[in-house]
mmCIF file of all heavy atoms in Angstrom:
data_model
loop_
_atom_site.group_PDB
_atom_site.id
_atom_site.type_symbol
_atom_site.label_atom_id
_atom_site.label_comp_id
_atom_site.label_asym_id
_atom_site.label_seq_id
_atom_site.Cartn_x
_atom_site.Cartn_y
_atom_site.Cartn_z
ATOM 1 N N GLY Z 46 -114.151 56.220 -58.961
ATOM 2 C CA GLY Z 46 -112.773 56.219 -59.458
ATOM 3 C C GLY Z 46 -112.604 56.721 -60.881
ATOM 4 O O GLY Z 46 -111.699 57.505 -61.167
ATOM 5 N N HIS Z 47 -113.503 56.266 -61.779
ATOM 6 C CA HIS Z 47 -113.407 56.684 -63.190
ATOM 7 C C HIS Z 47 -113.541 58.200 -63.309
ATOM 8 O O HIS Z 47 -112.731 58.862 -63.956
ATOM 9 C CB HIS Z 47 -114.530 56.033 -64.016
ATOM 10 C CG HIS Z 47 -114.080 54.821 -64.761
ATOM 11 N ND1 HIS Z 47 -113.009 54.839 -65.627
ATOM 12 C CD2 HIS Z 47 -114.562 53.555 -64.780
ATOM 13 C CE1 HIS Z 47 -112.843 53.635 -66.134
ATOM 14 N NE2 HIS Z 47 -113.757 52.825 -65.632
ATOM 15 N N LYS Z 48 -114.586 58.708 -62.654
ATOM 16 C CA LYS Z 48 -114.892 60.139 -62.711
ATOM 17 C C LYS Z 48 -113.744 60.956 -62.115
ATOM 18 O O LYS Z 48 -113.306 61.950 -62.692
ATOM 19 C CB LYS Z 48 -116.175 60.402 -61.908
ATOM 20 C CG LYS Z 48 -117.120 61.337 -62.586
ATOM 21 C CD LYS Z 48 -118.515 61.388 -61.996
ATOM 22 C CE LYS Z 48 -118.625 61.286 -60.499
ATOM 23 N NZ LYS Z 48 -119.987 61.318 -59.994
ATOM 24 N N VAL Z 49 -113.234 60.504 -60.975
ATOM 25 C CA VAL Z 49 -112.166 61.238 -60.288
ATOM 26 C C VAL Z 49 -110.909 61.258 -61.152
ATOM 27 O O VAL Z 49 -110.306 62.316 -61.383
ATOM 28 C CB VAL Z 49 -111.864 60.598 -58.908
ATOM 29 C CG1 VAL Z 49 -110.629 61.222 -58.272
ATOM 30 C CG2 VAL Z 49 -113.070 60.729 -57.988
ATOM 31 N N ALA Z 50 -110.539 60.099 -61.697
ATOM 32 C CA ALA Z 50 -109.314 60.033 -62.517
ATOM 33 C C ALA Z 50 -109.470 60.903 -63.762
ATOM 34 O O ALA Z 50 -108.548 61.640 -64.132
ATOM 35 C CB ALA Z 50 -109.014 58.587 -62.893
ATOM 36 N N ALA Z 51 -110.652 60.850 -64.383
ATOM 37 C CA ALA Z 51 -110.866 61.637 -65.608
ATOM 38 C C ALA Z 51 -110.739 63.127 -65.297
ATOM 39 O O ALA Z 51 -110.194 63.898 -66.093
ATOM 40 C CB ALA Z 51 -112.238 61.327 -66.193
ATOM 41 N N ALA Z 52 -111.209 63.524 -64.113
ATOM 42 C CA ALA Z 52 -111.171 64.946 -63.759
ATOM 43 C C ALA Z 52 -109.761 65.409 -63.409
ATOM 44 O O ALA Z 52 -109.460 66.595 -63.471
ATOM 45 C CB ALA Z 52 -112.107 65.205 -62.581
ATOM 46 N N LEU Z 53 -108.889 64.464 -63.055
ATOM 47 C CA LEU Z 53 -107.567 64.870 -62.545
ATOM 48 C C LEU Z 53 -106.467 64.869 -63.614
ATOM 49 O O LEU Z 53 -105.339 65.260 -63.333
ATOM 50 C CB LEU Z 53 -107.177 63.999 -61.341
ATOM 51 C CG LEU Z 53 -108.036 64.227 -60.089
ATOM 52 C CD1 LEU Z 53 -107.648 63.264 -58.961
ATOM 53 C CD2 LEU Z 53 -107.927 65.668 -59.593
ATOM 54 N N GLY Z 54 -106.791 64.395 -64.808
ATOM 55 C CA GLY Z 54 -105.835 64.548 -65.923
ATOM 56 C C GLY Z 54 -104.982 63.328 -66.208
ATOM 57 O O GLY Z 54 -105.165 62.250 -65.638
ATOM 58 N N ASP Z 55 -104.010 63.539 -67.092
ATOM 59 C CA ASP Z 55 -103.236 62.426 -67.664
ATOM 60 C C ASP Z 55 -102.346 61.691 -66.670
ATOM 61 O O ASP Z 55 -101.978 60.550 -66.899
ATOM 62 C CB ASP Z 55 -102.316 62.953 -68.779
ATOM 63 C CG ASP Z 55 -103.109 63.235 -70.029
ATOM 64 O OD1 ASP Z 55 -104.298 62.844 -70.065
ATOM 65 O OD2 ASP Z 55 -102.539 63.852 -70.956
ATOM 66 N N ARG Z 56 -101.952 62.378 -65.604
ATOM 67 C CA ARG Z 56 -101.079 61.701 -64.627
ATOM 68 C C ARG Z 56 -101.868 60.895 -63.605
ATOM 69 O O ARG Z 56 -101.321 60.449 -62.608
ATOM 70 C CB ARG Z 56 -100.146 62.715 -63.958
ATOM 71 C CG ARG Z 56 -98.937 63.036 -64.839
ATOM 72 C CD ARG Z 56 -97.902 63.867 -64.108
ATOM 73 N NE ARG Z 56 -98.322 65.236 -63.950
ATOM 74 C CZ ARG Z 56 -98.650 65.811 -62.795
ATOM 75 N NH1 ARG Z 56 -98.594 65.117 -61.676
ATOM 76 N NH2 ARG Z 56 -99.020 67.069 -62.747
ATOM 77 N N CYS Z 57 -103.159 60.705 -63.896
ATOM 78 C CA CYS Z 57 -103.975 59.900 -62.974
ATOM 79 C C CYS Z 57 -104.763 58.866 -63.758
ATOM 80 O O CYS Z 57 -105.326 59.172 -64.819
ATOM 81 C CB CYS Z 57 -104.927 60.819 -62.215
ATOM 82 S SG CYS Z 57 -105.865 59.955 -60.944
ATOM 83 N N ALA Z 58 -104.778 57.639 -63.260
ATOM 84 C CA ALA Z 58 -105.531 56.570 -63.919
ATOM 85 C C ALA Z 58 -106.325 55.806 -62.871
ATOM 86 O O ALA Z 58 -105.977 55.817 -61.685
ATOM 87 C CB ALA Z 58 -104.567 55.624 -64.632
ATOM 88 N N PHE Z 59 -107.385 55.157 -63.340
ATOM 89 C CA PHE Z 59 -108.225 54.365 -62.427
ATOM 90 C C PHE Z 59 -108.089 52.893 -62.756
ATOM 91 O O PHE Z 59 -108.221 52.497 -63.914
ATOM 92 C CB PHE Z 59 -109.687 54.797 -62.560
ATOM 93 C CG PHE Z 59 -110.646 53.958 -61.745
ATOM 94 C CD1 PHE Z 59 -110.439 53.751 -60.382
ATOM 95 C CD2 PHE Z 59 -111.774 53.388 -62.335
ATOM 96 C CE1 PHE Z 59 -111.332 52.980 -59.626
ATOM 97 C CE2 PHE Z 59 -112.665 52.622 -61.589
ATOM 98 C CZ PHE Z 59 -112.449 52.416 -60.239
ATOM 99 N N ALA Z 60 -107.824 52.098 -61.742
ATOM 100 C CA ALA Z 60 -107.822 50.650 -61.895
ATOM 101 C C ALA Z 60 -108.940 50.096 -61.000
ATOM 102 O O ALA Z 60 -108.790 50.098 -59.773
ATOM 103 C CB ALA Z 60 -106.475 50.074 -61.470
#
Side-chain angles (χ1 to χ4, degrees):
H47 261 305
K48 223 167 37 181
V49 172
L53 292 176
D55 284 350
R56 279 189 286 111
C57 185
F59 175 53

